[in-house]
Amino acid sequence: MTMLQISYQLYCSRNFPPLADTLRMLARAGYKSVEGYGGLFDDLAGLRAGLDENGLQMTSCHFGLDMIEEDLPGTLDIIRTLGIKKVFAPFLTPDQRPVDAAGWADFGKRLVKAGRPLQDAGIAFGWHNHAFEFDATETGELPIDLIAGASEDLLLELDLGWVRVAGLNPVDWINKYAGRITSAHIKDIAPEGTCADEDGWADVGHGSMDWPAVHAALKAANCTHYVIEHDNPSDHYRFATRSLAAVQQF
């Protein structure tokens, strides 16, 4: 039986520099792995040393699609230096987003093409959603389905919090794409009217998500990688420790 891997998205701690302190905090809190993002690549040697010193592995990472397309050798160098096993393209700014169903279908093909060299190198590759992928196109089709429809080999790192923000039930989408969700962002939604200073997000297990149902669906879908995330915690130590404790109780 594959063990569940619990990771921490370092983007959560972007407002609490320096990174070296964050890595020490996470190690003390009990984390063994982290997920990186594009803002961390300026000092690869220092990042690698910080991970090693704290017994942490960067098992997954977010890379901008433009970076993968325009600098594949540099992308692969980062992946190899940090020991990354999974790569997810994470976001499109509003001006980059397709405006119709055909555009989203083409974007899915673009993703598949960009990810193929990474897959050939033994790296898992996929797309990380936000809420805009659930806004219906002019045909009634959803961008998330058009993206996923480009190839069965394209993985999805399902961000459960953004699915809920889109007004949908995460369990339905876990079930729909079971087998392609090897990694999920474990995020919680604060009860309405609370946590305004944290943009309405909550520590995992302290919000309104139905975690027993979600965890059961993820388990049935063979998702083995949980990435704990909060987009704007006011205290990243509180968030990291309380969320890890909650996930360990799942």
Side-chain angles (χ1 to χ4, degrees):
M1 181 177 178
T2 304
M3 292 290 292
L4 176 63
Q5 180 182 83
I6 303 172
S7 188
Y8 180 94
Q9 170 52 262
L10 289 170
Y11 183 78
C12 309
S13 295
R14 67 196 181 283
N15 295 324
F16 299 92
L19 177 62
D21 289 351
T22 292
L23 297 178
R24 281 191 289 270
M25 178 274 286
L26 293 172
R28 289 197 304 269
Y31 288 88
K32 300 298 182 184
S33 65
V34 296
E35 181 171 77
Y37 66 99
L40 302 175
F41 301 151
D42 290 343
D43 179 11
L44 282 185
L47 176 54
R48 176 81 237 195
L51 294 169
D52 292 343
E53 288 167 8
N54 290 286
L56 295 168
Q57 294 182 317
M58 186 172 287
T59 46
S60 62
C61 192
H62 287 183
F63 282 82
L65 181 56
D66 289 348
M67 179 177 180
I68 297 171
E69 291 175 325
E70 296 170 10
D71 187 12
L72 180 62
T75 299
L76 287 169
D77 181 61
I78 293 169
I79 289 169
R80 293 174 181 135
T81 298
L82 299 178
I84 295 163
K85 306 301 183 187
K86 299 178 183 180
V87 166
F88 298 100
F91 189 64
L92 288 173
T93 59
D95 62 299
Q96 295 175 320
R97 296 170 195 169
V99 298
D100 55 22
W104 281 111
D106 286 342
F107 177 72
K109 295 173 186 175
R110 178 184 166 193
L111 271 177
V112 171
K113 181 180 179 181
R116 193 164 288 126
L118 302 184
Q119 293 169 324
D120 290 345
I123 305 301
F125 177 76
W127 178 253
H128 173 86
N129 68 280
H130 287 73
F132 60 84
E133 296 92 335
F134 299 92
D135 293 334
T137 64
E138 83 287 357
T139 64
E141 297 169 287
L142 301 185
I144 191 71
D145 292 324
L146 294 164
I147 291 170
S151 174
E152 291 288 330
D153 293 331
L154 186 65
L155 299 178
L156 297 174
E157 183 180 50
L158 197 65
D159 189 307
L160 307 173
W162 283 118
V163 175
R164 268 286 301 277
V165 169
L168 301 170
N169 184 346
V171 170
D172 294 339
W173 290 90
I174 295 166
N175 293 339
K176 182 170 186 175
Y177 287 109
R180 293 174 66 178
I181 305 169
T182 62
S183 176
H185 268 210
I186 307 300
K187 293 167 75 169
D188 217 331
I189 308 292
E192 189 171 352
T194 66
C195 297
D197 63 324
E198 297 186 309
D199 298 335
W201 303 108
D203 297 347
V204 177
H206 297 267
S208 58
M209 292 282 279
D210 184 357
W211 289 115
V214 167
H215 176 60
L218 287 171
K219 187 175 179 181
N222 295 317
C223 177
T224 57
H225 187 189
Y226 284 13
V227 182
I228 290 172
E229 187 182 40
H230 185 311
D231 283 1
N232 190 26
S234 59
D235 180 336
H236 72 155
Y237 174 75
R238 180 214 72 215
F239 162 69
T241 53
R242 293 215 303 172
S243 298
L244 180 59
V247 173
Q248 288 172 334
Q249 292 301 310
F250 289 174

